[in-house]
Amino acid sequence: QGDADEGIDYMFKIVMVGDSGVGKSQLLNRFVKNEFHMKSKPTIGVEFLTRTVVMDHKLVKAQIWDTAGQERYQAITTAYYRGAIGALLAYDITNQHTFDHVEKWLDELRIHADNNILVMLVGNKSDLSSSRAVPVEIARDFAQQEGLFFLETSALDSSNVESAFIGLLSQVYRTVS
Ligand code: GDP
Ligand code: MG
């Protein structure tokens, strides 16, 4: 890091959470590298990716943590959550189970991360709407009840990916600036 952080006004730690297979890694891949892979392989050894954005004439560096698949074994460590100020909580709109588990992920966040953590709920794979299992209204109502931001995204066709991350970052920015 070192020199790379020169001129940075704010550094925000963001964590990706949600069931295995919902597209967390590809959402991050899309946001940071503008890439997508059908055959997603876990990023071994890399704990986070970063992207710096300008907000309100300030340089904001997002350090976005992704799992290497530990969520499959409920083995995400407390270090993963430590210091996180925002979370992108993803489910797959074609898979009801992944939406049913959102509450479990909120509990995880509330236990291990800061109480005031801001959460963007993301219904990913909106490109597969012909196989939709989770109605958008249900998810939107749930998000409103729980005080979460909400968008449907597609890491495949890029829809709303930028909006989801930038939306979360700007809300975080508003709370700290
Ligand atoms: P993770 O386990 O939550 O990190 O999920 P991955 O990012 O590894 O994605 C799991 C699978 O879903 C991979 O085969 C991806 O290519 C695929 N995938 C991810 N995002 C999308 C999306 O927006 N649309 C479609 N159709 N497939 C996706
Ligand atoms: Mg992954």
Side-chain angles (χ1 to χ4, degrees), residues 91-95 123-137 152-157 159:
Y91 67 92
D92 172 351
I93 68 154
T94 71
N95 182 334
N124 190 42
K125 308 197 186 181
S126 61
D127 57 286
L128 299 178
S129 60
S130 56
S131 324
R132 172 187 292 279
V134 183
V136 66
E137 302 77 22
E152 286 195 345
T153 59
S154 167
L156 186 150
D157 71 15
S159 148

Side-chain angles (χ1 to χ4, degrees), residues 27-153:
L27 285 165
L28 184 54
N29 224 10
R30 178 62 79 190
F31 179 63
V32 170
K33 304 180 188 160
N34 197 20
E35 287 175 3
F36 177 86
H37 302 284
M38 261 308 167
K39 288 215 163 158
S40 182
K41 25 183 191 311
T43 38
I44 308 289
V46 181
E47 294 183 303
F48 57 81
L49 295 177
T50 64
R51 186 174 146 186
T52 301
V53 295
V54 180
M55 244 161 226
D56 200 18
H57 306 288
K58 298 276 195 284
L59 278 183
V60 174
K61 185 169 185 170
Q63 184 187 76
I64 310 170
W65 289 55
D66 189 19
T67 70
Q70 303 97 315
E71 72 275 28
R72 198 168 305 157
Y73 318 102
Q74 281 155 23
I76 296 182
T77 61
T78 50
Y80 186 77
Y81 295 105
R82 192 171 302 130
I85 191 164
L88 201 129
L89 200 181
Y91 67 92
D92 172 351
I93 68 154
T94 71
N95 182 334
Q96 179 70 41
H97 291 297
T98 66
F99 182 72
D100 295 340
H101 292 160
V102 164
E103 254 172 302
K104 187 205 80 170
W105 286 109
L106 284 175
D107 289 343
E108 277 278 293
L109 285 170
R110 282 165 188 157
I111 292 166
H112 298 292
D114 193 290
N115 264 327
N116 302 319
I117 192 165
L118 294 177
V119 180
M120 172 68 76
L121 178 67
V122 149
N124 190 42
K125 308 197 186 181
S126 61
D127 57 286
L128 299 178
S129 60
S130 56
S131 324
R132 172 187 292 279
V134 183
V136 66
E137 302 77 22
I138 300 283
R140 193 182 289 121
D141 288 353
F142 174 81
Q144 197 167 359
Q145 262 173 40
E146 297 284 335
L148 319 173
F149 305 102
F150 171 70
L151 280 175
E152 286 195 345
T153 59

